[in-house]
Structure formats: structure tokens, C-alpha cells
């Protein structure tokens, strides 16, 4: 029984704000379009060039888009215990929240504003998107299980900043669970703090601002 509990605790939990599967249909269409355009360019170029050169020209047109699609499909992030695993096109990164030397909430202001968790562990830095909001007041937030697991992992840290951010995530979790209006959700209020400053560059919330969100 204890073994089952240990395995359940170690189950990976996806923490992508927008899962790659959401964009799968669009990415398939984009890939087909890139292949079609590449073939078209090669056929047209073959009128003036030899076939090898025409094929190379078609590949130059199609390959960058196909490469972007492959890179996007590979991008994935999940949490296993206190470890954040991030896959990219080439390789992967693992950052352990238990070894974090810095934890911050970072806001990227704009027409579509993002608030992310910035974790520093030695020389490694990992950004975990938590929510994004439009000027119109709509947006997307990290799912409940992801918030819960992140909050638990941060709470296990010895950093005071990690504990504060964990409390913010717990408050956000409760607000999402009861479908509270945006004005009562700490992540949205964090974004509003930065928007009210008319900032254009990414802003790190101070310890006092993070504490005020709970």
C-alpha cells in the first residue's frame, strides 16, 4: 500500500499552460501548407533551374516551417515530485525546486500579459507560465492539479520566497475552484499591479507585492 502511495506521489503532472495537443490540428495544417508551398516553389523553379537546384530551393522554403512545428510539438513541461522537467527540440532540462536558490513571480506586460514562476537553481533558470490575460479581461490559467503540485513543491523549499509564492498559488487554486471573478484571483491582480505601472519590460514582483496577493 505504501509503495502504491509512493508511486502515485511520483506520477508526473503536466504543467504546460497550453498543452501542445491543443494546437495539433493547426500544426498539421501548417506542416501540410509548408510542404505544399515547397513543392510548388520547386516545380516553378524547375522551369528555369535544373531539378537538383529546384528541389533545394523548395526545401529552403519548407524546412524552416516544418522545423518550427517539430520544435513546438516537442516543447513540454511537467512536474515529478519537486523536479521540473522541460523538454525542448534539443535535449531536456531538469530543475529541482528543493535546490532552488531563487524563486520569483515575473510579469510580462502587454496586450496579452503573462505571469510566470521564475526558478533559479545554481546556473539553471526555468520559467513556468502560470497564467496569461488579455486587456479585455479574458485569459488562460494553469489547471488546478498543476497549481496544487507546484504549491506543494514550493512549500517544501527552505526559501522564504518559495513559501510566499506557494501561498499565492494556493489562494489562486481556491479562487479558480470556486470560479471567482478575475479581480479576486491573485495571479490576475499581480498582472494588474504591473499594468498600472505602465511598464513595458518584464517586471519582478517584490516580496511585499507577492505577500499582498494572498
Amino acid at each position: 500500500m505504501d509503495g502504491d502511495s509512493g508511486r502515485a506521489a511520483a506520477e508526473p503532472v503536466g504543467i504546460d499552460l497550453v498543452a501542445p495537443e491543443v494546437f495539433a490540428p493547426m500544426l498539421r495544417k501548417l506542416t501540410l501548407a509548408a510542404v505544399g508551398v515547397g513543392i510548388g516553389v520547386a516545380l516553378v523553379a524547375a522551369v528555369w533551374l535544373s531539378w537538383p537546384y529546384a528541389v533545394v530551393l523548395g526545401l529552403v522554403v519548407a524546412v524552416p516551417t516544418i522545423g518550427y512545428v517539430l520544435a513546438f510539438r516537442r516543447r513540454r513541461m511537467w512536474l515529478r515530485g519537486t523536479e521540473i522537467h522541460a523538454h525542448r527540440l534539443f535535449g531536456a532540462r531538469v530543475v529541482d525546486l528543493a535546490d532552488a536558490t531563487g524563486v520569483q513571480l515575473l510579469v510580462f506586460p502587454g496586450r496579452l500579459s503573462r505571469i510566470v514562476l521564475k526558478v533559479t537553481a545554481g546556473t539553471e533558470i526555468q520559467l513556468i507560465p502560470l497564467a496569461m490575460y488579455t486587456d479585455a479581461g479574458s485569459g488562460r490559467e494553469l489547471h488546478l492539479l498543476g497549481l496544487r503540485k507546484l504549491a506543494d513543491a514550493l512549500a517544501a523549499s527552505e526559501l522564504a520566497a518559495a513559501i510566499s509564492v506557494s501561498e499565492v498559488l494556493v489562494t489562486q487554486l481556491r479562487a479558480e475552484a470556486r470560479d471567482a471573478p478575475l479581480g479576486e484571483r491573485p495571479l490576475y491582480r499581480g498582472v494588474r499591479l504591473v499594468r498600472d505601472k505602465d511598464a513595458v519590460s518584464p517586471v519582478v514582483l517584490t516580496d511585499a507585492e507577492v505577500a499582498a496577493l494572498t
Side-chain angles (χ1 to χ4, degrees), residues 10 16 43 66 70 108 112 123 169 174 198 212:
D16 291 299
L43 291 175
I66 295 173
L70 292 175
F108 293 83
L112 180 62
T123 59
L169 296 187
R174 291 170 178 164
D198 292 326

Side-chain angles (χ1 to χ4, degrees), residues 44-50:
V44 172
V47 176
W48 295 280
L49 303 174
S50 63

Side-chain angles (χ1 to χ4, degrees), residues 47-122:
V47 176
W48 295 280
L49 303 174
S50 63
W51 270 108
Y53 286 107
V55 170
V56 169
L57 188 57
L59 290 175
V60 168
V61 172
V63 167
T65 300
I66 295 173
Y68 172 80
V69 170
L70 292 175
F72 190 90
R73 288 178 67 90
R74 181 171 167 77
R75 290 174 64 91
R76 188 171 297 274
M77 198 181 309
W78 69 90
L79 184 68
R80 186 191 294 272
T82 60
E83 293 182 342
I84 298 169
H85 297 252
H87 264 192
R88 295 296 181 262
L89 178 59
F90 300 108
R93 173 187 295 163
V94 179
V95 176
D96 196 336
L97 287 171
D99 299 328
T101 53
V103 173
Q104 298 169 312
L105 286 180
L106 181 63
V107 176
F108 293 83
R111 298 180 68 86
L112 180 62
S113 300
R114 294 179 295 133
I115 181 167
V116 307
L117 173 65
K118 179 181 179 181
V119 178
T120 305

Side-chain angles (χ1 to χ4, degrees), residues 92-176:
R93 173 187 295 163
V94 179
V95 176
D96 196 336
L97 287 171
D99 299 328
T101 53
V103 173
Q104 298 169 312
L105 286 180
L106 181 63
V107 176
F108 293 83
R111 298 180 68 86
L112 180 62
S113 300
R114 294 179 295 133
I115 181 167
V116 307
L117 173 65
K118 179 181 179 181
V119 178
T120 305
T123 59
E124 297 287 346
I125 296 177
Q126 182 63 49
L127 300 181
I128 303 98
L130 299 174
M132 56 185 180
Y133 302 102
T134 67
D135 288 341
S138 60
R140 179 183 289 270
E141 299 163 325
L142 185 61
H143 56 85
L144 299 181
L145 181 57
L147 284 174
R148 176 76 267 175
K149 294 299 183 180
L150 271 177
D152 290 346
L154 288 168
S157 172
E158 297 181 358
L159 290 177
I163 304 299
S164 295
V165 173
S166 174
E167 292 173 355
V168 170
L169 296 187
V170 170
T171 305
Q172 175 74 20
L173 176 70
R174 291 170 178 164
E176 286 189 35

